[in-house]
């Protein structure tokens, strides 16, 4: 089971990111974050990766993920 405590942390991060692009719709924000994480479908975007994209750590996360898959 996923930790329910993550919800407030993720929602707060999304809120702060959305304030940077207030003209975007929520769906547009989520899709753009998902694409920045290398996922075309936000359904498959894990919360930890969403947070890394928002924090600007997506490249590092992607490199770590590729290294771990080898």
């Amino acid at each position: 089971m996923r930790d329910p405590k993550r919800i407030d942390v993720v929602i707060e991060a999304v809120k702060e990111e959305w304030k940077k692009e207030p003209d975007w719709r929520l769906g547009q924000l989520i899709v753009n974050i998902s694409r920045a994480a290398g996922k075309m479908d936000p359904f498959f975007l894990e919360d930890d990766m969403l947070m890394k994209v928002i924090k600007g750590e997506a490249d590092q996360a992607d490199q770590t993920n590729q290294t771990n898959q080898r």
Side-chain angles (χ1 to χ4, degrees), residues 1-67:
M1 179 175 189
R2 296 175 198 264
D3 184 0
K5 294 176 186 174
R6 82 192 189 292
I7 295 170
D8 289 336
V9 174
V10 171
I11 292 299
E12 187 63 32
V14 169
K15 180 175 90 172
E16 292 304 314
E17 193 67 14
W18 199 359
K19 287 181 178 182
K20 295 175 187 175
E21 299 291 347
D23 290 329
W24 288 2
R25 298 171 305 279
L26 176 59
Q28 187 177 5
L29 176 72
I30 298 299
V31 167
N32 287 340
I33 291 171
S34 181
R35 288 182 179 162
K39 306 283 184 191
M40 292 305 291
D41 187 343
F43 181 84
F44 297 104
L45 181 63
E46 293 289 339
D47 296 334
D48 61 335
M49 180 57 78
L50 180 138
M51 294 296 294
K52 288 177 181 178
V53 171
I54 289 174
K55 292 179 181 179
E57 301 169 355
D59 291 339
Q60 295 170 358
D62 188 47
Q63 289 173 0
T64 301
N65 191 25
Q66 288 175 2
T67 302

